[in-house]
Amino acid sequence: MRVYLDNNATTKIDPLVKVKMQPFFEELYGNPNSLHAYGMEVRPHLNEALGAVYDALNIPDEDDVLITSCATESNNSVLKGVFFKHILTNPDKNHIVTTAVEHPSVLETLLFLEEHGVRVTFVDVDENGGVSAQAVKDAVTDQTILISMMWANNETGMIFPVAEVAKFAREKGILFHTDAVQAIGKLPVDLKKVRVDYLTLSAHKFHGPKGIGALYVRKGCELPNLFHGGEQMGGKRAGTLNVPYIVGMGLAIRQAVNHVEVMNTQVRALRDELEDALAKIPDTFIVGPRHMRTPNTILLSIRGVEGEAMLWDLNRAGIAASTGSACASESLHANPVMSAIGQDPELAHTAIRLSLSRFTTLEEVEYTIEVFTKAVERLRSISSTYGYKG
Ligand code: PLP
């Protein structure tokens, strides 16, 4: 049996999305900027896909959605765009507030900007992996130009107080960006209710294709172009549009939003069943109260069991899990969010993330419980030689 429980890293393409994309690799391959029939016939499909993004997030018509190649590009565009537009021209406002547990596409970009004179405050997480709105507010100074805070964390699934901080930022005249990659399709995201200035999304996290994403930009908060070239996207982001993937993203986001309810009932129930079973294993630590997490995610740590060793055992039984962010998975490492929580250094090395999707079945969950429990027994019996006391 093969079980995929690494849906926070990437998801499988929704079969309907795959079917929808197919004609755009075959007969509908024109460049939408061309003035002949081949070009013109794909334009309505692009408009439909863009419209689906507006509908899914309830985006006001006057605001902008830029198509990007991924969430990493969207995050870079906001942070570097704010640097070019605001910080370079007014160095008195050179402070950015973020959290210590953002995705590397935010953290690394901010470390790069620090080398160029930007001051950054990385707000710590609490013992649950949560971020308090007050801690973010307290980090703000008269020099703060931007707050960048993710909607939900990719490692723990913890949901951050985006609505409250966005409101605060607005009142203070500070720009607000949220990386909503892990929220879309799992939580309601309504941009008429939660008034952010920038929002990042990525299609492959909600059963769309990899290599396509978007950046929402509120009217009045436009940023300088980072990709100069042709007239695509109204000249705001040059480069020939990836039509099949944009069309795929359009249907995927529609489907994702239509399944938020399913995620919060059926998938949540499966996640809870898995979590309840794993929590019975002695010396298990689960990060964050589950009502404060996205409905599909568990980050847990089992004393005496190396995360990578566990992954290996699971993988041999056909189960895909993760020790944390896929972007850091090529070397043995401590889970960065576990490290940021800072409870016990050992926990960071014993972290396992299990993330479900709407395609996960009860049979798969039951099989995982069985394999996981046996793997813990096996690995503990090996590691007892090296000091595990049980
Ligand atoms: N932001 C978050 C919260 C993520 O989980 C990820 C992917 O792991 C990214 C950004 C980067 O997404 P992409 O692969 O589309 O660049």
Side-chain angles (χ1 to χ4, degrees):
M1 187 169 194
R2 292 189 87 200
V3 182
Y4 185 75
L5 293 178
D6 199 13
N7 288 281
N8 283 11
T10 197
T11 56
K12 83 168 193 178
I13 292 248
D14 181 331
L16 295 177
V17 170
K18 187 174 161 229
V19 170
K20 176 99 182 175
M21 288 167 67
Q22 200 59 38
F24 299 90
F25 293 111
E26 292 164 357
E27 65 272 24
L28 290 170
Y29 56 82
N31 183 331
N33 283 57
S34 299
L35 292 176
H36 46 60
Y38 285 81
M40 284 186 277
E41 66 200 8
V42 299
R43 279 186 224 154
H45 300 280
L46 272 183
N47 292 338
E48 185 196 324
L50 212 51
V53 177
Y54 274 81
D55 290 347
L57 306 182
N58 201 17
I59 296 177
D61 288 345
E62 67 268 22
D63 296 346
D64 227 346
V65 172
L66 300 183
I67 301 298
T68 61
S69 61
C70 56
T72 298
E73 184 190 326
S74 301
N75 287 341
N76 269 261
S77 302
V78 172
L79 302 172
K80 291 174 183 166
V82 166
F83 173 70
F84 278 119
K85 181 167 174 183
H86 297 283
I87 298 177
L88 271 187
T89 53
N90 182 8
D92 286 344
K93 283 244 176 200
N94 69 346
H95 180 228
I96 296 178
V97 175
T98 190
T99 81
V101 293
E102 298 296 309
H103 186 266
S105 54
V106 168
L107 294 179
E108 292 295 323
T109 307
L110 289 173
L111 292 177
F112 168 77
L113 290 176
E114 276 187 325
E115 292 169 20
H116 295 269
V118 177
R119 290 188 316 106
V120 185
T121 301
F122 299 91
V123 175
D124 279 335
V125 286
D126 60 27
E127 70 284 359
N128 290 321
V131 168
S132 99
Q134 195 54 49
V136 177
K137 292 177 191 177
D138 290 346
V140 161
T141 71
D142 289 346
Q143 293 185 310
T144 307
I145 181 75
L146 172 76
I147 300 172
S148 179
M149 181 173 77
M150 62 199 339
W151 201 301
N153 184 264
N154 44 309
E155 313 271 2
T156 58
M158 284 294 284
I159 300 164
F160 289 177
V162 166
E164 184 177 345
V165 173
K167 184 165 174 281
F168 166 82
R170 213 171 163 72
E171 284 160 9
K172 293 274 176 199
I174 297 168
L175 295 167
F176 182 77
H177 164 240
T178 185
D179 173 346
V181 162
Q182 296 290 342
I184 288 168
K186 297 171 191 157
L187 307 170
V189 175
D190 181 331
L191 294 188
K192 284 187 185 149
K193 286 196 182 138
V194 179
R195 313 251 301 157
V196 307
D197 297 313
Y198 309 105
L199 177 142
T200 291
L201 63 91
S202 181
H204 75 100
K205 305 287 183 172
F206 49 80
H207 306 289
K210 294 170 189 49
I212 195 81
L215 175 63
Y216 159 81
V217 180
R218 170 184 297 289
K219 185 176 164 60
C221 301
E222 292 77 10
L223 292 170
N225 190 353
L226 296 189
F227 282 28
H228 294 91
E231 285 292 300
Q232 294 89 355
M233 298 256 69
K236 293 173 198 154
R237 196 267 186 189
T240 303
L241 294 173
N242 188 343
V243 179
Y245 282 39
I246 297 171
V247 169
M249 177 163 71
L251 181 57
I253 200 165
R254 221 186 261 292
Q255 286 277 93
V257 166
N258 287 342
H259 285 86
V260 167
E261 178 75 22
V262 168
M263 290 295 284
N264 283 282
T265 51
Q266 294 169 28
V267 178
R268 182 184 290 279
L270 286 177
R271 189 275 307 264
D272 290 356
E273 179 161 347
L274 178 58
E275 186 170 322
D276 288 343
L278 301 183
K280 289 195 189 116
I281 298 172
D283 282 332
T284 296
F285 170 72
I286 293 175
V287 181
R290 63 185 175 201
H291 69 277
M292 292 168 75
R293 280 186 261 137
T294 45
N296 74 322
T297 306
I298 308 170
L299 180 66
L300 79 163
S301 158
I302 300 172
R303 198 172 292 283
V305 177
E306 272 288 343
E308 267 84 4
M310 187 67 188
L311 274 197
W312 185 243
D313 264 34
L314 293 176
N315 187 46
R316 266 201 313 222
I319 301 170
S322 156
T323 52
S325 172
C327 303
S329 66
E330 275 163 24
S331 56
L332 274 178
H333 67 289
N335 179 288
V337 175
M338 283 281 200
S339 300
I341 292 170
Q343 282 205 337
D344 174 348
E346 189 196 330
L347 292 180
H349 289 276
T350 57
I352 293 277
R353 182 184 70 189
L354 300 163
S355 46
L356 289 70
S357 82
R358 65 176 193 261
F359 295 102
T360 307
T361 64
L362 177 59
E363 200 193 358
E364 291 173 347
V365 164
E366 286 169 347
Y367 174 70
T368 304
I369 294 170
E370 193 190 313
V371 170
F372 200 102
T373 313
K374 281 196 192 131
V376 171
E377 280 165 22
R378 197 185 83 79
L379 292 168
R380 273 186 174 163
S381 73
I382 296 169
S383 72
S384 61
T385 329
Y386 302 99
Y388 172 67
K389 301 285 189 304

